[in-house]
Amino acid sequence: MSNNIVNHLYHNRSDRELADLVLQGDREAFRVIMERTEKLVIHIISGMVPVREDREDLAQDVYLKAFRHLSGFRYEAKLSTWIARITYNACVNHLRKKRLPLVDPAISEAIDAPDDAGDPFALLSERQLAGILQQAVARLSPLLSTLITLYHQAGLGISDIAHITGLPDGTVKSYLYRARKQLQQHLLTIYQNKEAL
C-alpha cells in the first residue's frame, strides 16, 4: 500500500477509530498509533533509563503491552497519555529491578541559588546552551528528568503528567519547581566558572 493511501486512510482518524481498527486486526492502524506516540515514549524512556540498550528493549515492551491491552483502554484520557502511562510504569519497574533510585534522596532539600548571579545565558551561544541544558537534565534524577521533559519538551500539562505518573497535581508542580531550581543552580555554576576564566 502506498504511503499516500496509508496517510489518507489512517492519519486523519481519531484515537478511538484507530484503536477500533487495531482491535479488528488492522496492524497498520497500530503502526500509525506508534508513529503518533513514539516521540513521547522516547522522551520518557530517555529521561528515566540511563543505558541505551535498555531503552530499546523498554520501547518494544511498551508497545507490546499497549497492543495486548488496547481492549482495556477506556478513553478516559488521550491514547497518547495512556501509552505514556504504560511507558512510565515500565521505566519505574525497570529502575526497581536494577535497584536504581527514582528520585534523588536529596530531593527534599531546597536548593537556593544566588539571586544576584547575573544572566547565565549571556555568555553562551544557543548551541552551547542547548548542550548544557541537555547535560543538566540528564543529571537530574529519573523522575525529575521525566517531568521536565514531559512538561517542556513534550508540551504536556500538569494534569496529563499527573495522570501519567500517578502523582497528585501539586506534587508534579512541586517536583517541576525543584527540577528547575536544580537546572538553574547547574547553569549558574557553569556561568560562574566561565566568568572566573
Side-chain angles (χ1 to χ4, degrees), residues 44-108:
I44 295 169
I45 293 173
S46 296
M48 295 185 76
V49 178
V51 180
R52 178 172 283 142
E53 294 79 21
D54 292 344
R55 293 175 186 169
E56 293 169 8
D57 291 343
L58 273 171
Q60 290 175 358
D61 288 347
V62 162
Y63 284 114
L64 188 59
K65 284 179 186 171
F67 184 78
R68 285 181 180 160
H69 299 286
L70 191 58
S71 61
F73 178 56
R74 298 287 172 244
Y75 305 99
E76 294 164 354
K78 293 185 289 189
L79 187 58
S80 59
T81 304
W82 181 73
I83 290 174
R85 175 106 175 137
I86 292 171
T87 307
Y88 177 80
N89 288 338
C91 290
V92 168
N93 290 336
H94 173 79
L95 292 173
R96 283 186 184 139
K97 284 181 193 169
K98 299 280 185 176
R99 300 185 190 276
L100 297 170
L102 180 60
V103 180
D104 186 341
I107 189 70
S108 59

Side-chain angles (χ1 to χ4, degrees), residues 1-15 17-23 25-39 41 63-64 66-67 70 79 83:
M1 193 178 298
S2 77
N3 282 342
N4 288 340
I5 294 172
V6 170
N7 286 338
H8 180 71
L9 289 175
Y10 295 98
H11 288 281
N12 294 326
R13 296 197 182 245
S14 70
D15 287 348
E17 290 171 326
L18 286 171
D20 288 344
L21 287 171
V22 172
L23 293 173
D26 189 334
R27 291 180 182 249
E28 189 64 31
F30 192 73
R31 189 183 65 74
V32 173
I33 291 171
M34 289 174 62
E35 285 176 6
R36 287 184 182 179
T37 59
E38 69 184 340
K39 271 182 130 176
V41 168
Y63 284 114
L64 188 59
F67 184 78
L70 191 58
L79 187 58
I83 290 174

Side-chain angles (χ1 to χ4, degrees), residues 85-174:
R85 175 106 175 137
I86 292 171
T87 307
Y88 177 80
N89 288 338
C91 290
V92 168
N93 290 336
H94 173 79
L95 292 173
R96 283 186 184 139
K97 284 181 193 169
K98 299 280 185 176
R99 300 185 190 276
L100 297 170
L102 180 60
V103 180
D104 186 341
I107 189 70
S108 59
E109 296 176 19
I111 298 171
D112 297 319
D115 292 334
D116 61 349
D119 182 7
F121 304 107
L123 297 177
L124 301 172
S125 72
E126 205 169 302
R127 176 178 277 170
Q128 287 174 314
L129 182 58
I132 290 167
L133 279 172
Q134 188 174 8
Q135 289 174 352
V137 169
R139 290 174 51 158
L140 294 172
S141 70
L143 178 60
L144 295 186
S145 174
T146 299
L147 295 178
I148 284 286
T149 300
L150 290 174
Y151 188 78
H152 289 288
Q153 292 180 337
L156 296 178
I158 298 294
S159 60
D160 284 336
I161 295 170
H163 183 78
I164 289 167
T165 60
L167 297 171
D169 287 7
T171 303
V172 171
K173 288 178 188 175
S174 175

